Amino acid sequence: INKDGLGMTQSESDPCVFFRTDKKGDNDLIIIIYVDDCMLIGNQAIMNEAKALIRTEFGTTEDGQLRKLLGVRYEWKRNMDGESYIKMSMNDKANEIIDSYQKVTGRTPKVYETPGAPGTVLEKNEGKMVNIEGYRSLIGKLLFYGTKIAPECSFANGQLARHMQNPGEEHWKALERMIGYIKGKEKHELIIRKPHNLRIVSYGDSSYGDCKDTRRSSSGDFHTLGGALVSWRSQRLKMVCLSSTEAEYVTMTEMAKEQ
């Protein structure tokens, strides 16, 4: 069976997303695939038909309503007004990150209230390299964690990731702060819900010339759809800006592209 057998169309913006529309032009089935895991969204009867076809061809197993996917746990809830929402968490991954840090360093991280020290920008290590393999392993785990449920860690994670080629003592101190922040979060959760409308509202900011090694600026932005958070990131701009105004304009341009 292939995508044509289910009447699916592959998304041009994301090759892992397939969708099918009904006669009214509305999506009646969406399938999201990641390696050997997939998630189906749509009309229940149509989903049952699709699952039966896929099961016949590939011998797949079904876990029922989405509870866990790619390390993220999903809880289906309703608020006092009866509005449904989904609570996302990765407590297992958080504990894994903390344990990995303790095994690599032999130290127990202190608890911090913020993922990075305010006003601090990491610079290139001019001294001795410190445990590059352990550093890279932990950064990989942190980036996965941050892109899933921790928008507020984006800038600090980006700072740490810039120095994977030559981490020094200062980078390890910053890494410990990030681990300590995760440790201090009793429950690190992200709430997603149905958008109230289809209006996109985006927020962004830039930090002019904050990278002392390249003189490039950093930007950060997040995007909401009908009041629901759908996308976030922090990155170093691709060019050197000559003023804070230029950095702001470049950031807004990148935000518009994301929309």
Side-chain angles (χ1 to χ4, degrees):
I1 190 173
N2 54 36
K3 66 181 186 298
D4 297 322
L6 290 173
M8 309 296 292
T9 300
Q10 188 174 26
S11 170
E12 294 182 1
S13 59
D14 190 332
C16 294
V17 177
F18 299 84
F19 62 92
R20 188 175 69 187
T21 56
D22 57 21
K23 294 180 180 180
K24 297 180 180 180
D26 297 325
N27 291 332
D28 62 6
L29 178 63
I30 301 173
I31 300 179
I32 303 172
I33 300 174
Y34 186 87
V35 189
D36 59 348
D37 292 310
C38 69
M39 177 169 56
L40 282 71
I41 307 167
N43 178 276
Q44 187 63 55
I46 294 175
M47 283 198 298
N48 290 339
E49 178 185 350
K51 286 187 291 186
L53 289 171
I54 296 172
R55 190 184 307 115
T56 300
E57 181 69 20
F58 299 106
T60 56
T61 58
E62 181 185 347
D63 293 332
Q65 187 180 49
L66 182 64
R67 298 295 178 185
K68 186 176 182 180
L69 182 67
L70 303 178
V72 182
R73 293 188 180 276
Y74 298 84
E75 298 181 59
W76 300 74
K77 303 284 186 178
R78 287 188 178 276
N79 59 23
M80 298 296 293
D81 297 326
E83 182 183 44
S84 62
Y85 65 92
I86 301 175
K87 182 187 296 184
M88 302 168 57
S89 64
M90 295 183 71
N91 294 332
D92 294 342
K93 177 60 69 173
N95 292 331
E96 177 188 330
I97 293 172
I98 296 168
D99 291 343
S100 296
Y101 176 82
Q102 294 177 162
K103 289 178 181 179
V104 169
T105 64
R107 300 194 302 268
T108 300
K110 299 179 181 179
V111 172
Y112 291 92
E113 295 184 355
T114 58
T120 300
V121 177
L122 296 175
E123 297 183 28
K124 182 179 179 180
N125 176 34
E126 299 293 350
K128 181 180 179 181
M129 181 187 298
V130 181
N131 194 353
I132 187 172
E133 291 82 7
Y135 188 87
R136 287 178 172 178
S137 176
L138 287 166
I139 294 301
K141 291 180 172 64
L142 286 171
L143 291 176
F144 182 78
Y145 185 86
T147 55
K148 292 293 184 181
I149 66 164
E152 75 278 18
C153 296
S154 298
F155 179 77
N157 274 344
Q159 288 280 312
L160 293 169
R162 293 176 190 176
H163 302 281
M164 289 195 293
Q165 297 298 325
N166 186 22
E169 292 291 348
E170 291 302 313
H171 306 112
W172 273 98
K173 290 180 182 179
L175 176 59
E176 180 176 345
R177 185 185 183 96
M178 173 63 77
I179 304 293
Y181 171 74
I182 294 176
K183 180 181 178 181
K185 298 284 287 186
E186 181 178 352
K187 289 185 178 180
H188 210 155
E189 300 170 337
L190 183 66
I191 303 299
I192 57 175
R193 58 168 174 77
K194 180 180 179 181
H196 291 154
N197 51 60
L198 294 181
R199 181 177 180 230
I200 298 175
V201 178
S202 301
Y203 303 86
D205 197 5
S206 66
S207 179
Y208 170 60
D210 64 339
C211 180
K212 306 305 179 185
D213 299 319
T214 64
R215 300 308 304 173
R216 284 152 64 183
S217 306
S218 297
S219 69
D221 56 74
F222 67 92
H223 309 265
T224 63
L225 179 62
L229 181 64
V230 294
S231 174
W232 61 87
R233 64 182 172 180
S234 177
Q235 62 184 355
R236 187 167 53 186
L237 298 183
K238 298 178 181 179
M239 73 289 291
V240 175
C241 297
L242 302 182
S243 67
S244 59
T245 301
E246 183 182 1
E248 296 281 2
Y249 273 115
V250 173
T251 298
M252 287 191 291
T253 299
E254 295 300 320
M255 289 171 56
K257 292 178 182 178
E258 181 71 7
Q259 291 181 351

